[in-house]
Amino acid sequence: MNFVKRAMCYIRRKLGKTLLLFFIFLVTNCTILGTLSILDTSSLINDEIRRQTNSKVAIESIDSEEKLTEQEALEILAIDNVNEINRIAKSVVYSNGFAPVPGGEEDAQWQVILHGYDDLEKDSPFTENVCRIIEGSYAKDDNEVVINQFLADTNQIAIGDTISFVLGNENVSAKVTGFYLTGSERKQTDTVATINRMENQIYTNISFMEKIGTGNYEKIIAYVDNPELLSETADDIGNALGDKAGISTQDTMYQKMKFSIMQVERVTKLIFILTVITSVFVVGMLLCMWMRNRKVEMAVFISLGIAKVEVFLQMVLEIICVYSLSSMIAAGMFGVLTPLLSELMSKIDGFGLAISFSIWNVWKVWLIGMVTLVIITFIAMLPCLTKRIKDTLSEMEG
């Protein structure tokens, strides 16, 4: 009878011990799979937190005559670690059908300035609380603008009305979606030029700026995935643009949160490591007891002329069969329970990412577990395999 048949016969004959070992493996696999999934989810959450810190590289045109182009914006967006850009453009236009609040320059009394952003809620005076929306909403869709409350009162403009601008021989219209105030409008002197007055600054989106023919940008803000690589990203952008632009970085929020993120990562990894160490220790002790009770059996096999390697392979095969079965059932159980765990975790406020089932994690746990069990089995059997058969049998008789 070869070692494979002997292994299968032992598993059937010692069903009670086999079931005990099976349940130990099952609990161990479920525990490690669970902690590994939590570790992966924690890593994803920390990466998302890093992105949400809005760490960024600011690229500003040095020469007012040579602004940043759309091609350069695409080159910046293509750089590794850059996940989003916010293009900022500015253009002087003439009003049509409404009068700007007059200032000190009569020649420019019909001029207003359009400020365009990919996202008005980032990097704009609204973000810095210089301006605040007092009615309506930001300009998000095409052909939408936000104007000053005083400009609206002067021209009796309401939310939802349309205002026009003169572009050469054409008129371009936009819908007013919101009113804003800075709080400093009345502090301006009468000598401030019409075009520079706060009331005559109109905010819109980049798509509208492109519609009126403004294809270049005063400034581009590049947001990064990993703030740890912010300096390297700024260098890459600098190399791509040369001396054309001034580059600065900002990661204030990340620096405030950096220690907390690192602590969470360390605690999660520590929990995983402790779980693995505990599981290996418990399984190792159980296998040592298992092998200790089989010393006579091994001694008899060896005395019958069966090679020690074949005896070792039999013991390993028994354990691998039980372990593999427990791994498959643990994977199935975890796959079924994962949606329930995700639903439970989603009820926690601010928990944006759910626990996911990964077949790759199952394979990793199974492969590493196999290697670990072979090593533990070898260590547990080593005293029995190195001791003389006569001594082992005499110990059991005594």
Side-chain angles (χ1 to χ4, degrees):
M1 183 182 294
N2 60 31
F3 72 92
V4 177
K5 290 183 179 180
R6 288 199 304 271
M8 297 300 104
C9 290
Y10 184 85
I11 290 174
R12 290 195 300 268
R13 182 165 55 88
K14 298 291 184 178
L15 191 58
K17 292 183 178 180
T18 301
L19 288 175
L20 175 62
L21 190 63
F22 168 79
F23 284 117
I24 293 293
F25 285 154
L26 183 65
V27 172
T28 300
N29 276 310
C30 288
T31 304
I32 294 177
L33 282 174
T35 53
L36 190 58
S37 295
I38 291 173
L39 182 65
D40 291 343
T41 303
S42 175
S43 178
L44 291 174
I45 291 173
N46 286 331
D47 289 343
E48 183 64 24
I49 290 174
R50 287 188 177 94
R51 282 192 288 271
Q52 293 300 325
T53 58
N54 289 332
S55 298
K56 57 191 176 183
V57 180
I59 307 102
E60 190 166 6
S61 175
I62 295 176
D63 188 351
S64 59
E65 299 297 324
E66 190 179 3
K67 297 180 181 180
L68 300 169
T69 65
E70 177 64 21
Q71 179 60 36
E72 289 167 334
L74 294 175
E75 289 178 6
I76 294 171
L77 186 59
I79 290 175
D80 291 339
N81 199 37
V82 174
N83 65 69
E84 180 185 6
I85 60 172
N86 193 15
R87 297 167 294 176
I88 302 172
K90 183 171 69 173
S91 181
V92 177
V93 295
Y94 286 89
S95 60
N96 180 31
F98 70 97
V101 175
E105 274 188 43
E106 294 300 326
D107 292 341
Q109 63 180 355
W110 290 99
Q111 289 182 336
V112 296
I113 297 182
L114 280 175
H115 301 268
Y117 295 80
D118 278 312
D119 189 348
L120 266 176
E121 298 183 63
K122 292 181 178 178
D123 313 303
S124 69
F126 298 96
T127 307
E128 300 166 359
N129 292 323
V130 175
C131 301
R132 64 185 187 279
I133 294 287
I134 60 170
E135 186 180 349
S137 60
Y138 293 103
K140 295 182 179 179
D141 297 329
D142 295 342
N143 301 340
E144 291 184 349
V145 294
V146 175
I147 67 174
N148 190 275
Q149 177 72 64
F150 285 92
L151 179 64
D153 292 343
T154 301
N155 293 276
Q156 297 182 343
I157 299 172
I159 297 292
D161 288 352
T162 299
I163 59 176
S164 299
F165 307 97
V166 177
L167 294 173
N169 297 324
E170 298 181 1
N171 291 330
V172 179
S173 299
K175 177 183 176 182
V176 177
T177 62
F179 297 148
Y180 75 89
L181 285 175
T182 67
S184 302
E185 285 85 357
R186 298 186 186 278
K187 297 179 183 179
Q188 299 174 103
T189 63
D190 294 336
T191 59
V192 177
T194 299
I195 195 172
N196 292 328
R197 290 189 67 87
M198 297 176 184
E199 301 92 331
N200 299 326
Q201 311 304 306
I202 298 176
Y203 295 91
T204 183
N205 47 55
I206 284 294
S207 61
F208 186 69
M209 298 296 290
E210 292 172 345
K211 185 174 182 179
I212 66 174
T214 303
N216 295 330
Y217 314 111
E218 307 279 333
K219 193 173 183 180
I220 297 175
I221 307 297
Y223 289 90
V224 301
D225 287 321
N226 187 358
E228 294 289 345
L229 302 177
L230 187 63
S231 298
E232 290 85 343
T233 305
D235 292 339
D236 291 340
I237 294 174
N239 294 333
L241 298 181
D243 298 329
K244 181 178 181 179
I247 296 174
S248 60
T249 60
Q250 182 179 339
D251 61 346
T252 306
M253 185 182 297
Y254 174 70
Q255 292 301 327
K256 292 179 180 179
M257 300 178 64
K258 182 177 180 180
F259 180 75
S260 298
I261 294 173
M262 292 176 62
Q263 288 296 94
V264 170
E265 288 179 338
R266 289 172 182 171
V267 170
T268 308
K269 289 178 181 178
L270 179 61
I271 292 173
F272 176 72
I273 291 171
L274 290 176
T275 301
V276 172
I277 291 174
T278 303
S279 299
V280 171
F281 179 79
V282 171
V283 172
M285 291 299 100
L286 183 64
L287 289 179
C288 286
M289 294 172 60
W290 177 292
M291 296 306 166
R292 180 180 176 83
N293 293 331
R294 301 181 67 180
K295 288 195 297 183
V296 174
E297 179 186 349
M298 286 186 278
V300 170
F301 283 151
I302 295 171
S303 66
L304 292 174
I306 298 175
K308 292 181 179 181
V309 174
E310 192 173 343
V311 175
F312 171 72
L313 291 175
Q314 175 191 334
M315 305 298 175
V316 168
L317 182 60
E318 293 168 5
I319 293 168
I320 286 177
C321 288
V322 177
Y323 176 73
S324 298
L325 180 61
S326 68
S327 296
M328 289 188 289
I329 295 177
M333 290 175 58
F334 193 74
V336 171
L337 293 176
T338 295
L340 299 177
L341 292 174
S342 299
E343 184 179 353
L344 179 63
M345 297 301 291
S346 65
K347 295 179 181 178
I348 301 176
D349 293 339
F351 196 95
L353 294 173
I355 297 175
S356 59
F357 174 75
S358 171
I359 194 65
W360 173 237
N361 283 346
V362 175
W363 279 108
K364 283 194 297 184
V365 171
W366 182 75
L367 288 172
I368 295 173
M370 292 266 286
V371 174
T372 304
L373 287 174
V374 171
I375 294 172
I376 292 175
T377 303
F378 176 75
I379 294 173
M381 291 181 64
L382 193 59
C384 303
L385 297 176
T386 55
K387 188 176 291 188
R388 291 189 304 176
I389 300 172
K390 182 172 60 176
D391 293 339
T392 301
L393 294 175
S394 61
E395 280 181 8
M396 300 308 296
E397 290 175 358

